[in-house]
Each structure stands twice: as structure tokens, then as C-alpha cells.
Amino acid sequence: MALKHEPTAPYHSAQDALRVLETVARHTSGVTDTELARHTGLDPERLTALLRMLRREGYVEQTTDGAYVTGDALTKLGSTDGREQALRERLQRTLDRLRDSVGAAVYLSRYVDGEVRISQYADGPTTPVVHEWVDFRSSAHATAIGKSLLGQLDHNSRREHLSRHRMARLTSRTITSDKLLLSRLETQPPTVPHLDLQEYAVGTVCAAVPITAGSAVGCLALSLPVEHAHRLRQAADTLNRSATPLLLSLAI
């Protein structure tokens, strides 16, 4: 399956962060920020922001003399023993933090073996998840998650998916024309979140942004009750800006 992949800002940030981590890992006795700037080619302001994020996530630690060394989180994710559990726990902590910062239920979804799958989510008493009244695997045409995942595939892969899943009308707002849906997916800029404005379920609005690490197609999404629809675009922008740690965890 070919990918229609156009890097977004979080993708670039994750790539830069990986360059920093690779440099730190090579210098087992520690490396200063000045040396990091020289080795990575990143400007000081950009590097400072990345190091702040990497320290917060536990990927690097700073010694008493100011040098940076590999952190415990990177060691766990880099190990073959227990990596999957460590990754899942790290992703969940990030999702929980995102839920609190955007004030909405958040979801991490993947496109696996031709199907939409929600792999992890974070909800709470005031941030309930969407009630799955129609299987998400058969309703990609109506959900922000589905549209974001389909949008990362090539044209033929999108058509193949839609040929297996009939575009049922779930609400009065659901798009049921494959021609219209494919046209919108084709023209959607990669930096603009996909939206679901009561297309899957009456009373709920959603947004999704791409999370693509390597050849794996994924997305990060949020849902809100329709009375909070005025917060949707701002929450989606926050979600997009905050996607770098998730991308980084998946890429390591």
C-alpha cells in the first residue's frame, strides 16, 4: 500500500528530536548544548525548545555540569525486553496529558490491515468518549479519525477501502457520495485537521490530525459534545502542536 505522505510540523519536530537523541546517544559521557547545536545544525532557540521537551519526556537528562545524557525513558523504549509495554504506558501518559490540556477525550488510531483501529484513548468523567453505535471500522467515511487515516492513503487504496465498506447515512450530515468524499480527501491540506461535525453521531463533533511514523498510518483525534463545538478548531490546533511526543515515542 502506497502512502500519500506530506510531513507536518510535528513530523519535522520529531525528526529534529531524533537527530538530537542520536547525537546524545553517541556521546555516552555527555554532550553540551553547544556541541549539540554544532552536530545537529539546529539553531539555539529550536534546540532549546526540543531539549526542554526531551527532558520533560525523560528521553534526556542533564548532569550537574550541564551536559546531556540518555534518559531512562529512551533506555526503556530502546530495549527489546518490555518495549511494547513501556511504549503503551508512555503513549497513555501522553494521551492523558493531552486530554487534560484540550479538555476533551483523545484517541490514538491506526490503519492496520485495511481497517480503522483505535489503539488507545484517554477519557474522564467530564470528557466522555464517543459512543460507538456503529462499528468504527465500517464508518470511516463519517468520522474524523476515518477521514484522517484515509487521507494518508493513495487514491487506489482509498477506493479499495470504500469498496469494502458501504457509505451508510448515519446522520443527516453524513457524506454518502464516494466521489464527493474522495474529492475532499484529495484536496485536504495535510496541516488542516479533518473534522466530523455530527456526521457520525448527533450531538458530537470531532477532529483528527495525522500521526505517521515510518510506513505506519495513524492519527490523533479528539471529540467534544456539540455544545462545545466552538472550541473544536482551537482544541484541534493544540492537539496538532502537541503531537510531537507521540510521534517520537512511535519512531524510537
Side-chain angles (χ1 to χ4, degrees):
M1 178 178 63
L3 300 181
K4 179 193 173 190
H5 180 58
E6 297 176 68
T8 56
Y11 175 86
H12 286 303
S13 294
Q15 289 296 98
D16 288 344
L18 281 172
R19 286 160 59 197
V20 173
L21 288 178
E22 288 166 357
T23 304
V24 171
R26 285 199 305 269
H27 294 75
T28 54
S29 59
V31 58
T32 66
D33 51 3
T34 302
E35 292 170 325
L36 280 170
R38 186 172 69 251
H39 286 295
T40 62
L42 296 169
D43 68 74
E45 185 177 353
R46 172 82 164 156
L47 179 60
T48 298
L50 287 172
L51 285 171
R52 187 184 305 118
M53 182 271 290
L54 291 171
R55 287 183 65 188
R56 185 188 71 230
E57 298 293 325
Y59 289 125
V60 300
E61 297 173 2
Q62 200 166 16
T63 62
T64 52
D65 62 358
Y68 290 92
V69 294
T70 297
D72 184 56
L74 184 62
T75 302
K76 287 182 178 178
L77 287 184
S79 170
T80 54
D81 184 31
R83 182 188 184 280
E84 287 304 314
Q85 181 64 24
L87 175 60
R88 187 170 184 82
E89 291 173 355
R90 170 153 295 275
L91 292 174
Q92 192 61 52
R93 284 196 296 272
T94 304
L95 290 173
D96 290 345
R97 191 168 63 233
L98 283 172
R99 173 200 60 204
D100 296 339
S101 66
V102 300
V106 294
Y107 314 77
L108 180 62
S109 186
R110 312 273 183 85
Y111 193 76
V112 181
D113 297 330
E115 302 294 351
V116 172
R117 294 185 184 176
I118 294 179
S119 51
Q120 287 180 248
Y121 64 88
D123 63 346
T126 59
T127 54
V129 293
V130 176
H131 171 58
E132 189 178 358
W133 75 283
V134 175
D135 194 322
F136 289 138
R137 290 174 299 180
S138 60
S139 55
H141 65 290
T143 66
I145 285 174
K147 287 185 281 187
S148 180
L149 295 174
L150 291 178
Q152 296 175 65
L153 308 181
D154 62 24
H155 182 77
N156 290 336
S157 297
R158 293 171 189 161
R159 292 197 68 88
E160 191 277 332
H161 180 95
L162 296 177
S163 72
R164 290 185 286 109
H165 296 288
R166 186 175 65 85
M167 295 177 61
R169 185 177 298 281
L170 307 182
T171 76
S172 63
R173 294 172 177 264
T174 307
I175 297 174
T176 57
S177 162
D178 59 349
K179 184 177 180 181
L180 176 58
L181 179 64
L182 290 168
S183 174
R184 289 190 177 181
L185 292 175
E186 196 69 38
T187 57
Q188 174 93 353
T191 54
V192 176
H194 285 270
L195 303 179
D196 159 17
L197 304 177
Q198 301 189 87
E199 296 167 53
Y200 173 77
V202 174
T204 302
V205 295
C206 306
V209 296
I211 292 285
T212 302
S215 60
V217 173
C219 73
L220 187 59
L222 64 87
S223 64
L224 287 167
V226 70
E227 55 265 31
H228 292 287
H230 61 282
R231 295 202 293 115
L232 184 63
R233 289 188 183 276
Q234 183 177 0
D237 288 341
T238 301
L239 200 68
N240 196 28
R241 290 196 304 271
S242 306
T244 300
L246 276 170
L247 267 171
L248 193 56
S249 297
L250 293 169
I252 290 173

